[in-house]
Amino acid sequence: MKPDCITAHFKGLVGTFYVDAKFEIPLLGVTALFGPSGSGKTTILRCIAGLTRLQGELKVGSWTWQDSKQFTPTHLRSIGYAFQHAELFPHLTVAGNLAFAGKYSDRRQGHRLRINSADIVALLGLEPLLNRQPNKLSGGERQRVSIARALLSQPRILLMDEPLASLDQAAKEEILPYIESLNRTSGIPVIYVSHDIGEVARLADRVLQISEGQVVGMGPIGEMIERLGLDAGVPAFEESALLKGRIASHDQTNRITQIDLSPGELAAPNINLPVGQEVRVRVRARDVAVALERPRAISIRNILSATVAECVAQENMGSADIILDIGDQRLRARITLASLSDLNLQPGQQVYALIKSVTFDGR
């Protein structure tokens, strides 16, 4: 048993669905359970919470919550649980809902008092909402209150089951920055269920890939983003790679931010982050083109020297994925099979990657 890890193995039937999931993850940062709908992500999360009981074992730090001899019930496990739909007490104000959260937290295994209400209210921007009833809140506001209530139960782990799935895009964009800051600010490990590769790329430090009730892949976010494909439920147009960089400078006149990738730089629409801030840059394969010579007189601003690492033909799609080395980082470009033939691309070949657009994560 490792005191700084979650060690788990759940095995059995849930209805007609068979689960055999085994994993070990650090009690640190954000771990995403990722896979297509129906793959078993929520079932595994419910097993961690004790809401679904299968055979197996679960050890969280120095606490054993499940083995062949014992099963700690949900109300004695030091967890916070944020569901898809925020279930708030309708007869209580926001302040009343938050006050209720800490009433029984000291009875739970692994409980550690380290978060006070004022900090969480400030973190999630709830000050203007404290006197409102739940029926007077927007979807995003309700979800922020639900997350705050989960945190104020003083959990050892925060479990989040697709907390953005029921929200429209505007509400998602409203709440994502709050979720980004949770682990950084509170220090509480997060296990986050999602089938949205954009959310995972933005929020997670590591990924457990779930398929048919099993863990079929595990690794750091950058490595897993590169590996995840159609078989993992990622739409073809969303397959991507992550680059790490730092904000190098801002050109306020032209509203452009330069990001240092070392080697190379990316220009992007202005990002409201300080110089020196580390960022993740998610680049979709469909937004990368490949050239044998450096183009001139072209509107695309991001042109990076690269080396072809691998060419993977997707015969059934009429396309090919080109894996490109950019220093010690990697990009993926999706081109047609005809372009692959015309360019005669080979591993080790020096080329230029033309990046049309990128998605940024302010972490």
Side-chain angles (χ1 to χ4, degrees), residues 226-237:
E226 183 181 323
R227 288 169 49 186
L228 294 173
L230 294 176
D231 60 330
V234 180
F237 60 85

Side-chain angles (χ1 to χ4, degrees), residues 104-271:
Y104 306 105
S105 62
D106 57 351
R107 301 180 185 179
R108 303 187 304 170
Q109 291 187 5
H111 160 74
R112 288 194 291 173
L113 184 62
R114 53 181 174 177
I115 298 177
N116 66 59
S117 180
D119 289 341
I120 293 302
V121 166
L123 173 65
L124 291 167
L126 301 180
E127 296 97 330
L129 310 179
L130 291 176
N131 294 321
R132 290 196 204 170
Q133 300 293 136
N135 64 356
K136 301 297 183 181
L137 302 176
S138 70
E141 289 169 344
R142 288 172 60 86
Q143 201 59 277
R144 279 155 53 197
V145 175
S146 175
I147 293 168
R149 192 174 63 177
L151 287 169
L152 289 174
S153 67
Q154 309 298 334
R156 187 67 184 89
I157 322 166
L158 178 61
L159 308 178
M160 306 187 78
D161 187 7
E162 302 205 58
L164 306 183
S166 63
L167 304 179
D168 60 28
Q169 192 57 41
K172 287 182 181 181
E173 292 301 325
E174 170 199 325
I175 198 173
L176 266 169
Y178 293 106
I179 295 179
E180 279 182 304
S181 65
L182 284 180
N183 173 255
R184 262 199 328 272
T185 305
S186 71
I188 295 175
V190 178
I191 301 180
Y192 190 96
V193 166
S194 180
H195 65 271
D196 185 319
I197 190 63
E199 285 179 28
V200 170
R202 182 166 177 174
L203 300 172
D205 298 299
R206 71 195 63 83
V207 176
L208 296 185
Q209 182 185 348
I210 311 299
S211 177
E212 298 181 350
Q214 298 184 15
V215 177
V216 296
M218 186 185 319
I221 181 64
E223 173 188 318
M224 292 300 293
I225 287 292
E226 183 181 323
R227 288 169 49 186
L228 294 173
L230 294 176
D231 60 330
V234 180
F237 60 85
E238 287 289 344
E239 291 191 29
S240 53
L242 282 187
L243 300 177
K244 294 181 180 180
R246 290 180 181 272
I247 302 294
S249 63
H250 298 289
D251 178 350
Q252 298 297 348
T253 301
N254 294 304
R255 304 291 293 169
I256 290 174
T257 293
Q258 291 293 137
I259 298 174
D260 178 17
L261 298 178
S262 297
E265 281 196 348
L266 285 180
N270 188 61
I271 305 169

